[in-house]
Amino acid sequence: MTDSRHSNPPPGLIVSSIDAARLEALLESPRWRDLPAAQALQDELLRAEVRPVGEMPADVVGMHSRVECEDAESGKHYHLTLVYPHEADVATGKVSVLAPMGSALIGLSIGQHIDWPNPDGRALHLKVIAVQPAEDAAS
């Protein structure tokens, strides 16, 4: 008998070389590196395919992308912008890449989904519905 929690491998991730370099620098900062969220993000980056900015598909979630996603469990839709921790502002939908939802979404493409533990213990079953790349993909 197989364990259904592990029967599907996590989806493939694609991250731009600029996002990868900036996120690695963020994770090396003493302010962030010891947080559990930083380790989770590091794990995601380690399994990501890194591509030059000019080779990034438009439907991939990167830093400063506007994203629409849906929690398959609750049906709730989220409209957010993926940002660095110092830019985060829940009131305006700016979600930190170090938040569980942010680190779950980085590198995903439209149609992909991932299960990610929420701080309240419930798993988020997030599916990417739409991605609007950052206006300046190098930002």
Side-chain angles (χ1 to χ4, degrees):
M1 179 185 280
T2 60
D3 183 341
S4 63
R5 291 173 296 173
H6 300 289
S7 61
N8 294 326
L13 303 177
I14 304 171
V15 177
S16 77
S17 56
I18 289 175
D19 283 353
R22 290 179 179 170
L23 290 170
E24 289 290 340
L26 174 80
L27 293 172
E28 290 173 7
S29 163
R31 181 174 181 186
W32 309 113
R33 69 174 166 227
D34 294 328
L35 297 176
Q39 184 58 55
L41 179 58
Q42 181 67 47
D43 292 345
E44 294 297 281
L45 291 175
L46 287 173
R47 68 183 191 86
E49 174 188 344
V50 178
R51 293 189 186 175
V53 173
E55 295 177 18
M56 286 297 295
D59 67 344
V60 172
V61 178
M63 294 307 298
H64 298 117
S65 292
R66 291 184 41 81
V67 182
E68 179 183 356
C69 56
E70 177 183 29
D71 181 350
E73 196 73 22
S74 69
K76 183 175 181 180
H77 278 245
Y78 298 90
H79 297 267
L80 55 94
T81 302
L82 189 61
V83 299
Y84 295 97
H86 69 278
E87 301 169 314
D89 181 3
V90 175
T92 60
K94 293 180 179 179
V95 175
S96 169
V97 70
L98 288 180
M101 185 181 291
S103 57
L105 289 171
I106 186 81
L108 291 182
S109 302
I110 292 173
Q112 287 184 313
H113 55 85
I114 193 164
D115 293 344
W116 202 258
N118 208 5
D120 68 6
R122 183 180 74 83
L124 291 172
H125 307 286
L126 298 175
K127 180 177 180 180
V128 178
I129 306 296
V131 177
Q132 180 181 354
E135 289 183 19
D136 175 7
S139 69

